[in-house]
Amino acid sequence: GESVGLHLPTLSVQEGDNSIINCAYSNSASDYFIWYKQESGKGPQFIIDIRSNMDKRQGQRVTVLLNKTVKHLSLQIAATQPGDSAVYFCAETRHTGTASKLTFGTGTRLQVTL
Amino acid sequence: SQTIHQWPATLVQPVGSPLSLECTVEGTSNPNLYWYRQAAGRGLQLLFYSVGIGQISSEVPQNLSASRPQDRQFILSSKKLLLSDSGFYLCAWSLEGPGELFFGEGSRLTVL
């Protein structure tokens, strides 16, 4: 069945360096992908999204890359800051036409060291 | 602007007791509503979603049920809690069609 997973469960990055968090998905029919950030004890917060007709999208300090050939998604964070420490989830939609039924990966914990 | 509220934030319940978690959305009409569960250190699992009043879709068989008595109210319930029901429950809303989910702050349930 379809699944979304992450390659690295924990990523440790020095403050100021760039972070790259990777995600693999198996459903080639997925047409919409989202990255969420979840701080301890809180609900996930939207970071950035990308549709399957794009291969790159940039936000403020973040870039999402989509490689449909190998079904791979990545989140790049530039100049990582201590406030970026959190668990990051990728998610993909199962298109139903009405509800946005996101399938989430298991998450990657980003630890920013000083 | 739209906001989503969940309560209670924390709940400790004995096995066999009932459960009611509530979620309300403000600032939008006819949202899609969702209940997710997150086990400790794990990803999010979709439990229920609703595209309208009284319309509930269940994603996984379980000891829980959901109801949508009003357009912007979503309730997660159980008649008798199990130990395995412990977890972090997240309510979310979205507009119609595939798109971003907006999450509440979550309700942490511990069943003893």
Side-chain angles (χ1 to χ4, degrees):
Chain A
E2 60 201 47
S3 65
V4 179
L6 296 172
H7 297 310
L8 298 173
T10 303
L11 177 65
S12 185
V13 175
Q14 196 163 15
E15 182 181 5
D17 288 350
N18 297 333
S19 302
I20 300 177
I21 302 173
N22 297 301
C23 177
Y25 65 95
S26 60
N27 186 359
S28 56
S30 296
D31 57 6
Y32 181 60
F33 304 87
I34 306 177
W35 281 100
Y36 280 92
K37 173 186 179 183
Q38 186 177 27
E39 297 176 339
S40 180
K42 296 185 177 181
Q45 293 178 295
F46 172 89
I47 301 173
I48 193 168
D49 60 359
I50 189 168
R51 300 197 179 274
S52 59
N53 61 353
M54 303 172 67
D55 54 20
K56 181 179 180 179
R57 190 164 187 224
Q58 288 183 297
Q60 187 177 11
R61 283 203 305 118
V62 295
T63 301
V64 56
L65 299 177
L66 176 62
N67 186 330
K68 295 180 288 294
T69 301
V70 295
K71 290 182 282 189
H72 184 267
L73 191 69
S74 69
L75 176 70
Q76 300 178 2
I77 304 174
T80 311
Q81 303 170 358
D84 295 327
S85 294
V87 177
Y88 290 80
F89 293 96
C90 63
E92 52 100 5
T93 61
R94 293 187 288 162
H95 182 77
T96 65
T98 51
S100 187
K101 295 165 63 177
L102 294 180
T103 299
F104 284 80
T106 54
T108 292
R109 181 174 301 280
L110 177 64
Q111 295 177 333
V112 181
T113 58
L114 301 178
Chain B
S1 62
Q2 301 89 358
T3 57
I4 179 169
H5 303 282
Q6 269 186 255
W7 70 93
T10 305
L11 196 60
V12 180
Q13 291 286 102
V15 170
S17 64
L19 171 73
S20 180
L21 299 179
E22 296 196 31
C23 172
T24 59
V25 179
E26 298 177 357
T28 187
S29 296
N30 196 31
N32 291 332
L33 296 173
Y34 309 80
W35 278 111
Y36 278 83
R37 176 168 60 198
Q38 185 175 30
R42 304 289 296 274
L44 285 74
Q45 180 187 34
L46 179 61
L47 302 176
F48 302 95
Y49 69 93
S50 171
V51 299
I53 296 175
Q55 301 179 57
I56 307 296
S57 297
S58 175
E59 286 294 291
V60 293
Q62 59 206 312
N63 184 42
L64 303 168
S65 62
S67 61
R68 185 171 177 173
Q70 300 181 44
D71 180 45
R72 292 169 290 175
Q73 184 184 24
F74 207 22
I75 298 172
L76 184 68
S77 304
S78 173
K79 292 181 179 179
K80 288 184 178 181
L81 284 168
L82 305 173
L83 286 174
S84 58
D85 291 325
S86 293
F88 192 49
Y89 290 83
L90 289 153
C91 181
W93 72 273
S94 75
L95 299 173
E96 182 177 351
E100 176 188 356
L101 295 188
F102 300 89
F103 285 89
E105 288 298 302
S107 299
R108 185 165 301 282
L109 171 66
T110 303
V111 182
L112 302 176

